[in-house]
Amino acid sequence: IPTDFTSGAELWLDEYEDDTIEQQLEEIFDELRPLYQQVHGYVRHRLRQFYGNDVVSEKGPIPMHLLGNMWAQQWSSIADIISPFPDKPLIDVTDEMVAQGYTPLKMFQMGDDFFQSLNLTKVPQDFWDKSILVKPDDGRDLICHASAWDFYLVDDVRIKQCTRVTMNQLFTAHHELGHIQYYLQYQHLPFVYRTGANPGFHEAVGDVLSLSVSTPKHLESIGLLKNYERDEEALIKQLFLTALDKIVFLPFAFTMDKYRWALFRGEVDKKDWNCAFWKLREEYSGIEPPVVRTENDFDAPAKYHVSADVEYLRYLVSYIIQFQFYKSACIKAGQYDPTNPELALDNCDIYGSFEAGQAFKNVLSLGASKPWPDALEAFNGERTMSGKAIAEYFEPLRIWLEEENQKNNVHIGWTTSDKCDS
Ligand code: X8Z
Ligand code: ZN
């Protein structure tokens, strides 16, 4: 393990065990940028219809306070005002969960059941006894940002999540249980190997299950979705909803660490620290702050991971490789066949597939004992990170968006704004 890191950036990047990781991600991001720009253009167009030209310009960055999330990192919470095909149902099973009396406990039990259905390990009793799954009401000062913890003993793994009964929180419960499953699968290894093949692997596991849970097929099977008719329009609407989370997130995740690398490497003068942040957010995501910022503000630490000093590239890597895992798991489960529209990738449910579970076991039980390309190979034979699977997943949406944006004369890309005064 090298100790002569030239900056914190090199220390963080070391975990990816590949000197070309920045370059690789840059290239993958370049491949996906056209799709992001189509989503961005369409959303801006819809927001213009909703709020008018005075609020949203035709060609500028989107004012981020309209996007429904404090950091504009995912935009699905405004899906009701920007989705195509208003007559088609927008899949949000939150109300149904509440109506059926879902509790945080039940949400985690369902997640645990999903892992067991793949023939993976059920969470130990200690997990249920020692986790915090509901926000304590005793006035304790507690960080509510969801997290999963390995106590590096045997079967002592815990989640801390201030769980609310919503569809999104159901996905987060699976995300956190993914970390737990990884801890359990490698707990037999020596301490130095009890970590992910790289940090992105750890973030990807639960999300693969969430992708499956979010399909109409799975939601119907667990009785949360009824009378859903999956025609061409419903399919596009569903893909659009997923893109508001999974595609929109890519430039956000990249900029969180591009920003910190630049600071760590001494590339930004301290007097420009705030505007450098907004410049990156604008360049990569095409968004702007709601009001003019100055160097008297310092906005980046408003994001939990920045204040808590958690590396963020892991999520960019995760959002790319989780589609590689998902696609292969779907094929193994007999749930995806590119030549059969009945077995589409975006409606693949891997629940109950021992084959998919075995692929996970191959990867997770290695921990960090082998370089990550070896771990990936153990899943599906691939050895490189690739944007091909995520592009394939969203291909029908890309085709639809390009046509729709063209038809509506939607501007693609964005001009620069000056919302930060150095
Ligand atoms: O922080 C998380 C997880 C805990 S590892 C809840 N995520 C990122 C975030 O919320 O910013 C999951 C997706 C991105
Ligand atoms: Zn996580």
Side-chain angles (χ1 to χ4, degrees):
I1 299 171
T3 50
D4 55 346
F5 300 113
T6 47
S7 83
E10 283 61 43
L11 171 69
W12 277 357
L13 285 163
D14 185 60
E15 295 211 62
Y16 297 92
E17 301 175 310
D18 181 341
D19 292 340
T20 66
I21 193 84
E22 266 182 274
Q23 188 54 35
Q24 285 178 42
L25 286 165
E26 204 75 61
E27 281 165 21
I28 292 171
F29 187 76
D30 283 345
E31 280 166 38
L32 296 169
R33 185 181 272 117
L35 173 59
Y36 177 70
Q37 290 181 336
Q38 292 294 328
V39 174
H40 175 278
Y42 182 80
V43 169
R44 182 177 50 196
H45 168 70
R46 294 297 306 273
L47 287 173
R48 280 167 62 71
Q49 291 176 336
F50 193 82
Y51 291 108
N53 186 47
D54 292 348
V55 181
V56 187
S57 69
E58 188 192 354
K59 297 182 177 170
I62 303 174
M64 65 190 291
H65 59 298
L66 308 179
L67 293 166
N69 172 278
M70 175 95 105
W71 308 275
Q73 67 182 62
Q74 285 161 326
W75 306 346
S76 62
S77 72
I78 58 158
D80 54 338
I81 62 172
I82 56 171
S83 287
F85 311 120
D87 300 338
K88 300 288 163 183
L90 181 69
I91 297 187
D92 182 353
V93 301
T94 296
D95 291 348
E96 190 60 30
M97 288 168 68
V98 173
Q100 293 187 21
Y102 271 54
T103 59
L105 180 62
K106 170 157 167 109
M107 290 157 69
F108 283 93
Q109 285 168 340
M110 287 175 68
D112 185 37
D113 170 69
F114 201 130
F115 279 97
Q116 287 182 59
S117 86
L118 302 174
N119 200 27
L120 291 171
T121 304
K122 115 187 205 180
V123 300
Q125 186 55 40
D126 262 10
F127 170 87
W128 301 111
D129 295 342
K130 296 177 176 170
S131 289
I132 296 179
L133 304 182
V134 182
K135 183 176 183 174
D137 57 6
D138 55 10
R140 234 185 298 178
D141 195 12
L142 177 130
I143 293 170
C144 264
H145 192 93
S147 53
W149 299 82
D150 187 351
F151 283 72
Y152 295 96
L153 300 166
V154 175
D155 283 347
D156 192 349
V157 290
R158 314 180 196 180
I159 284 173
K160 173 163 64 68
Q161 183 174 337
C162 301
T163 316
R164 291 163 289 116
V165 178
T166 69
M167 179 171 74
N168 258 322
Q169 288 271 293
L170 183 64
F171 300 152
T172 304
H174 286 79
H175 173 95
E176 297 305 332
L177 284 168
H179 290 304
I180 297 293
Q181 186 64 219
Y182 221 146
Y183 300 151
L184 295 172
Q185 291 290 339
Y186 59 51
Q187 66 176 346
H188 61 286
L189 294 176
F191 285 106
V192 285
Y193 297 146
R194 289 172 73 170
T195 183
N198 74 38
F201 276 59
H202 230 299
E203 299 303 333
V205 178
D207 281 15
V208 177
L209 273 66
S210 289
L211 280 172
S212 186
V213 172
S214 72
T215 59
K217 191 186 277 174
H218 189 81
L219 293 173
E220 276 180 328
S221 77
I222 57 177
L224 285 176
L225 185 66
K226 284 158 200 152
N227 308 317
Y228 180 77
E229 219 188 301
R230 194 178 138 86
D231 56 15
E232 190 65 21
E233 293 186 350
L235 184 157
I236 293 296
K237 186 164 181 162
Q238 174 65 8
L239 275 179
F240 181 77
L241 178 66
T242 310
L244 291 179
D245 282 341
K246 300 290 181 181
I247 298 298
V248 162
F249 184 75
L250 303 173
F252 172 79
F254 213 174
T255 52
M256 283 303 106
D257 276 8
K258 273 182 174 293
Y259 175 66
R260 289 184 292 174
W261 294 336
L263 264 55
F264 294 166
R265 287 169 173 159
E267 291 166 1
V268 185
D269 204 295
K270 207 164 183 175
K271 68 174 187 359
D272 301 321
W273 272 14
N274 203 39
C275 289
F277 176 73
W278 288 111
K279 223 173 143 216
L280 273 172
R281 293 291 289 115
E282 179 182 297
E283 181 185 341
Y284 278 84
S285 289
I287 55 110
E288 64 178 19
V291 296
V292 173
R293 315 306 294 150
T294 73
E295 290 296 337
N296 292 324
D297 307 306
F298 190 37
D299 296 312
K303 180 66 194 161
Y304 167 74
H305 301 70
V306 177
S307 288
D309 197 27
V310 180
E311 184 253 17
Y312 211 83
L313 198 70
R314 62 189 58 187
Y315 301 108
L316 178 62
V317 170
S318 162
Y319 274 51
I320 293 163
I321 65 174
Q322 66 184 247
F323 285 91
Q324 293 178 259
F325 289 133
Y326 183 60
K327 178 183 163 184
S328 305
C330 290
I331 293 169
K332 287 175 200 295
Q335 280 280 314
Y336 176 45
D337 175 353
T339 64
N340 180 357
E342 297 291 310
L343 292 175
L345 189 51
D346 56 83
N347 203 20
C348 143
D349 181 11
I350 61 171
Y351 185 90
S353 168
F354 279 29
E355 288 80 5
Q358 185 57 49
F360 271 115
K361 214 175 274 186
N362 294 343
V363 176
L364 307 188
S365 60
L366 285 175
S369 65
K370 294 222 172 121
W372 67 261
D374 291 2
L376 180 57
E377 187 170 17
F379 194 95
N380 66 5
E382 295 177 335
R383 292 187 58 84
T384 54
M385 212 171 19
S386 154
K388 222 180 125 249
I390 186 171
E392 189 169 327
Y393 184 97
F394 287 107
E395 183 61 6
L397 178 69
R398 187 191 64 78
I399 293 169
W400 182 85
L401 278 173
E402 277 190 6
E403 204 180 296
E404 186 67 17
N405 283 334
Q406 205 147 51
K407 201 168 76 194
N408 295 316
N409 271 319
V410 170
H411 181 75
I412 299 301
W414 48 87
T415 56
T416 54
S417 77
D418 218 354
K419 277 291 186 85
C420 198
D421 274 343
S422 290

